[in-house]
Amino acid sequence: MPKKIVAANWKMNKTYQEAEAFVTDFSKKILEIKKTGVILCPPFIALFNIHEKLKNTVAEVGAQNMYFEESGAFTSEISADMLKSVGAKYVILGHSERRHIFGETDQVIRKKIDRALEKGLKPIVCLGELLEERKAGKTLEVVKKQFDAAFDGLSKAEMENCIIAYEPVWAIGTGETATPEQASEVHTEIRKMLIEKFDNKTAENVTIQYGGSVKPSNAKELIESKNIDGFLVGGASLDSNHFSDIVHAVEEYLK
Ligand code: PGA
C-alpha cells in the first residue's frame, strides 16, 4: 500500500443495493489512480460484495470495527477472522463514535489492535480530542495518552502495519474542518511520538491521516500540509463524485 492513503468511513449508511451502486460508479472514476492508496469501509453487510467488485481496481476494503475475542458467545459481534474471510484488509479502531457513543475505552481499543495485528488485519487507529479539551489546551496531552495506550510495546513491524487517523472530535460531521495549520501541528507531534517510541524509519513509514469534515474543497490544502498523509473521510465519502474528487486531489499532489 502506498504511503498516502484515502479511506472512506461510511458509518451506518447505505443499504446493500446503495453500496453496490456506489462501487459500480466509483470504480470507473479511479481508473487513473496509481499512487494513492484507496480504502472503502462500508457496513459489514456490504463488505464481501464490495471486495468482489473492487478486485480489479486499486481500492481495497476495510471494516469499521471488530471485537477482540476470537470467537464464541458474543452476540452480534464480528471477529478478525470473519472480516478476513470476506476480503477485509483493514479495520477502523477507536473511532470517536465508538469511544463516545459506545463507551469504548483505551484498554478495549488496545485489545482490538492487538488482535487485528495478530490476525494480519491493518488497524486504522483514530485519535483525537474533544472541543472542550482543545479549548482547555489539552489537545496534545489527550492525543499522547490515546497514542501510548494504543501503541506502547508494539514492535516496529507491528507499528508499520498500523495507520493513524488524527480526527479532532469537534471537526467530525460538523462541517468545521481543522485548519491545515491546526491539523499539521498535531500530525507533526504524532510523528515525533513515533520517533520517540520507535525510530525515524518507522515514523516515516507510518501513514498519518487527517479526518474531520474533509471535502473536495479542502482536500488540496490539507494534503499539501506537512505530515498529512491522507484522509479518513465520513460524510463526503458517501457521494462517489465527492470521494473520487478527494482521491484525485491526493493523486494530483503526488504527480
Ligand atoms: P466526517 O467524518 O468526514 O463526516 O467529518 C470523519 C470520520 O468520522 O471519520
Side-chain angles (χ1 to χ4, degrees), residues 7-11 92 95-97 126 165 167-169 171-176 210-215 231-238:
N9 174 13
W10 284 358
K11 310 190 180 184
I92 299 172
H95 189 276
S96 67
E97 285 146 23
C126 303
E167 300 206 310
V169 181
I172 295 180
T174 57
E176 192 170 337
Y210 168 76
S213 299
V214 176
K215 28 190 187 253
F231 304 118
L232 181 56
V233 189
S237 74
L238 296 171

